[in-house]
Amino acid sequence: MSTSSGEQAFNNVRKLINDVCNRMNIAEACRLRLMECERELIVHFPVRMDAGTVEVFTGFRLVHNDTRGPGKGGIRYHPDVTLDEVRALAALMTLKTAVANIPYGGAKGAVICDPKALSQSELERLTRRYTAEITLLIGPETDIPAPDMGTNPQIMAWIMDTFSMGRGYSVPAVTTGKPLEVGGSRGRFEATGRSCMISALLSAKHLGINAGEATVAIQGFGNVGAAAAKLLAREGFRLIAISDSKGGVYNPKGLALEGLLAQKKETGSIIGFKNAETITNAELLELRCDILVPAAIEHQLVKANTSSVKAKVIIEGANGPITPEADRILGDNGIFVVPDILANTGGVIISYLEWVQGLQFLFWDEAEVNDHLQKILTKAFAEVLQTSQQEKVDMRIAAYMIALRRLATAMALRGIFP
Ligand code: NAD
């Protein structure tokens, strides 16, 4: 029987957790606990559609582990999302929050739906009913959702409002990634792109690459890819290629980002951009460049195409864009990979800062938020790099080692109830 990509993704995370636990002699009880999600809620719920009909949707909310703090993780709206995919993403969140050393566990949620095919009022009714169904898990002290693919700040505002109606008072800290007007944090929109930029700068420094002379190719022109492009360009990197789901554009002399953003807004696509050659997503991944940022979807670098990668550094903006086989090839070829659980933690770090601000009802300016992000990520990067050098392992294994050590220590200190 063939395994689905969600199943494959969950197996990949579990295998790596397993291997690293064995390598570090981590307690068996800890390893076993991390093989499964602690709580898995599946809901089937009705939504009244604009045409007057009723449709039943399926959604999930899972907490993978909450030893180090409340569950934390996004909600995905996608027609093909599966329970296993959500399990894999929840497990990655447990590792991410541990690498960044923020006081959270890992969680994730999803609804199987095509948000683009729903009207705003259908989307609102679906979101409010899904929130009501998962209210037994979520809360500012238990499990805090955030946006992921297919969801956005407006959806976080509806979740916060629905949850607050149940409590009878406003609970801004129940979600993060909210609009500023209802308790969002400054800096959230660009946060994940910012952590990609910081990771690229720190990698360039480590490898002796001059940012002012370095070239960058980015796959994906959404929240992560577009913000990373803007911030990397601001640091002096030359953006030579970028793509979306329809394909990419390439100019070795550099692409004008403002023009690209304007064209995407106007036509919905970047294809045909002036002074640039049209390329496929496959070609983009194989371009000669210093830094490659896969910031679209999972499993983009696989066994078949990875030997052709010419970048010196890969910054994983997306979750799981490199398969384990591809990872080995990149390692053999000496390509420096900053793994997703480090490179794209900007979103969850600023989510943490939003939650802290929401709990205190005290909001900071953008410089203060970005300063906290910079400090947390720079420390995490230095710890992972140091472990990688000391233990002679790649950055992904080093990040897993740090996360699993923190999880094992926390589990041992808390013990097992009863
Ligand atoms: P998004 O929906 O805003 O953007 C995704 C981009 O990828 C779009 O430009 C889309 O056109 C492109 N794309 C889709 N399918 C593609 C394909 N087959 N080939 C090439 N490009 C394709 O999503 P996002 O929020 O930018 O998230 C991107 C990735 O980053 C996901 O893996 C997500 O889980 C991960 N991530 C996002 C955040 C965040 O804060 N948004 C945080 C951590 C990780």
Side-chain angles (χ1 to χ4, degrees):
M1 206 174 67
S2 69
T3 34
S4 67
S5 73
E7 221 176 326
Q8 192 61 53
F10 190 39
N11 286 342
N12 289 345
V13 184
R14 291 208 282 193
K15 182 167 186 317
L16 209 44
I17 292 176
N18 205 45
D19 291 352
V20 176
C21 281
N22 286 338
R23 175 192 186 106
M24 297 173 73
N25 286 324
I26 285 199
E28 181 70 353
C30 168
R31 188 185 66 78
L32 288 174
R33 285 175 71 180
L34 295 173
M35 288 296 106
E36 305 294 345
C37 290
E38 279 174 6
R39 288 183 207 118
E40 303 192 338
L41 179 63
I42 304 176
V43 292
H44 306 284
F45 58 93
V47 177
R48 198 172 298 285
M49 309 306 280
D50 291 347
T53 53
V54 172
E55 280 185 31
V56 173
F57 290 85
T58 297
F60 314 108
R61 185 69 194 174
L62 318 182
V63 178
H64 173 257
N65 188 277
D66 67 355
T67 306
R68 298 183 62 262
K72 185 83 193 87
I75 290 174
R76 182 168 288 195
Y77 284 0
H78 195 276
D80 303 324
V81 67
T82 64
L83 182 55
D84 271 320
E85 184 181 342
V86 182
R87 286 176 171 139
L89 293 165
L92 280 178
M93 289 306 299
T94 302
L95 296 161
K96 247 182 229 189
T97 55
V99 174
N101 211 3
I102 51 179
Y104 282 141
K108 204 82 180 186
V111 177
I112 303 173
C113 68
D114 180 0
K116 289 189 191 135
L118 298 171
S119 69
Q120 273 298 94
S121 53
E122 287 169 339
L123 203 54
E124 179 174 354
R125 287 194 294 276
L126 176 139
T127 299
R128 288 188 182 278
R129 179 62 191 242
Y130 168 66
T131 306
E133 297 284 345
I134 63 167
T135 288
L136 66 158
L137 287 189
I138 63 171
E141 309 87 9
T142 51
D143 173 13
I144 305 126
D148 189 69
M149 278 162 80
T151 57
N152 56 32
Q154 172 63 75
I155 289 175
M156 294 307 115
W158 288 328
I159 295 177
M160 186 274 260
D161 183 72
T162 307
F163 185 87
S164 298
M165 290 302 102
R167 287 275 180 102
Y169 54 90
S170 284
V171 189
V174 67
T175 59
T176 59
K178 298 179 297 296
L180 275 181
E181 295 78 0
V182 288
S185 176
R186 295 191 188 280
R188 176 64 181 88
F189 179 68
E190 289 180 348
T192 306
R194 184 172 291 278
S195 64
C196 291
M197 176 274 284
I198 296 170
S199 298
L201 272 181
L202 293 170
S203 303
K205 190 172 168 212
H206 166 62
L207 298 169
I209 297 171
N210 180 354
E213 291 165 8
T215 52
V216 180
I218 301 181
Q219 184 195 36
F221 200 39
N223 288 328
V224 182
K230 182 177 132 189
L231 295 168
L232 282 162
R234 204 179 281 167
E235 292 298 324
F237 290 89
R238 179 158 32 108
L239 177 69
I240 60 165
I242 194 153
S243 66
D244 61 21
S245 55
K246 301 190 186 89
V249 287
Y250 168 62
N251 181 345
K253 295 197 178 113
L255 295 164
L257 191 63
E258 291 306 321
L260 272 170
L261 285 164
Q263 177 174 320
K264 173 95 182 172
K265 201 168 167 199
E266 209 171 292
T267 68
S269 168
I270 52 175
I271 305 295
F273 186 60
K274 60 179 185 309
N275 298 330
E277 191 185 315
T278 298
I279 54 169
T280 63
N281 265 292
E283 286 166 338
L284 180 140
L285 297 172
E286 297 176 10
L287 282 178
R288 190 165 297 287
C289 61
D290 293 295
I291 310 230
L292 173 64
V293 187
I297 52 169
E298 63 285 338
H299 300 170
Q300 291 303 289
L301 290 176
V302 297
K303 197 173 166 189
N305 64 354
T306 300
S307 306
S308 310
V309 170
K310 297 173 199 72
K312 295 182 187 131
V313 177
I314 300 182
I315 307 289
E316 286 190 324
N319 285 317
I322 302 176
T323 64
E325 296 89 348
D327 222 8
R328 278 191 285 279
I329 299 170
L330 294 170
D332 291 345
N333 292 347
I335 296 172
F336 186 79
V337 177
V338 185
D340 45 12
I341 61 168
L342 179 61
N344 72 28
T345 47
V348 71
I349 293 172
I350 291 207
S351 272
Y352 163 58
L353 301 173
E354 178 178 336
W355 178 71
V356 168
Q357 294 170 79
L359 289 172
Q360 302 178 105
F361 290 92
L362 174 66
F363 289 86
W364 308 330
D365 63 21
E366 186 158 350
E368 184 163 2
V369 174
N370 287 342
D371 188 43
H372 279 294
L373 168 63
Q374 173 95 25
K375 280 188 188 133
I376 294 172
L377 190 67
T378 303
K379 183 162 185 284
F381 191 97
E383 287 169 343
V384 174
L385 184 59
Q386 189 186 28
T387 299
S388 149
Q389 289 170 330
Q390 272 169 2
E391 302 291 329
K392 301 196 176 11
V393 293
D394 65 29
M395 292 284 281
R396 190 185 313 279
I397 302 285
Y400 271 66
M401 288 175 80
I402 289 173
L404 292 168
R405 174 65 66 221
R406 286 186 179 140
L407 283 155
T409 306
M411 282 186 200
L413 286 167
R414 285 185 60 165
I416 292 179
F417 174 85

